[in-house]
């Protein structure tokens, strides 16, 4: 059974909230891609819509939007998700994960796109 840590970002306030999801709520994320929108009730925000913005697997490898599927792939990167160069022109071969969410993913990053009500209040009620 799938189990994820979901980090919910509220772009209006700049705050982030963490939530552990498992069971049926976790299954709603399986097979989805980075950039997909789903109902917020999977993370405790029933009146909101959230967009999947990224994630990482259990070893910390980031998900990239330009890698298809759930596989691991080595890319030669100049910057962007997965590599921040320390000097100009630096490139490095980095292993990243594909954009599709599978059981290998440990953390999913989502951002609130649409909805009514205060996001912070919804997470405070659960604690």
């Amino acid at each position: 059974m799938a189990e994820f840590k979901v980090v919910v970002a509220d772009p209006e306030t700049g705050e982030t909230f963490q939530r552990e999801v498992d069971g049926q709520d976790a299954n709603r994320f399986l097979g989805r891609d980075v950039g997909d929108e789903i109902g917020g009730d999977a993370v405790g925000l029933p009146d909101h819509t959230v967009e999947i913005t990224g994630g990482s697997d259990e070893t910390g490898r980031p998900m990239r939007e330009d890698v298809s599927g759930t596989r691991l792939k080595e890319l030669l990167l100049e910057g962007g998700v997965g590599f921040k160069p320390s000097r100009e022109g630096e490139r490095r071969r980095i292993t990243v994960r594909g954009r599709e969410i599978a059981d290998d993913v440990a953390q999913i990053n989502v951002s609130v796109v649409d909805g009514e009500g205060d996001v912070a209040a919804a997470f405070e009620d659960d604690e």
Side-chain angles (χ1 to χ4, degrees), residues 9 16 27 34 36 41 47 60 63 68 86 94 100 107 117 122 124:
T16 59
N27 289 340
V34 173
D36 286 354
D41 50 345
D47 299 331
M63 297 173 68
S68 63
S86 59
I94 302 293
E100 186 178 331
Q107 175 180 316
E124 288 173 3

Side-chain angles (χ1 to χ4, degrees), residues 1-4 20-30 42:
M1 175 137 333
E3 185 175 318
F4 303 115
E20 296 279 338
V21 295
D22 58 357
Q24 184 178 0
D25 290 334
N27 289 340
R28 293 181 188 179
F29 288 101
L30 291 176

Side-chain angles (χ1 to χ4, degrees), residues 9 13 15 26 29 39 68 76-77 84 92 94-95 103 114 117 119:
T13 62
E15 293 180 293
F29 288 101
S68 63
L76 186 62
L77 300 178
K84 184 175 180 181
R92 188 169 294 161
I94 302 293
T95 304
D103 288 331
D114 188 22
V119 175

Side-chain angles (χ1 to χ4, degrees), residues 33 57 61-75 94-105:
D33 288 343
D57 64 8
R61 294 184 193 106
M63 297 173 68
R64 281 188 62 108
E65 228 175 322
D66 55 350
V67 177
S68 63
T70 61
R71 64 194 173 125
L72 292 175
K73 186 171 183 180
E74 284 192 352
L75 300 176
I94 302 293
T95 304
V96 295
R97 184 160 291 284
R99 67 176 167 251
E100 186 178 331
I101 295 175
D103 288 331
D104 299 333
V105 174

Side-chain angles (χ1 to χ4, degrees), residues 1-18:
M1 175 137 333
E3 185 175 318
F4 303 115
K5 179 189 297 183
V6 180
V7 179
V8 181
D10 184 7
E12 291 182 11
T13 62
E15 293 180 293
T16 59
F17 308 94
Q18 291 186 8

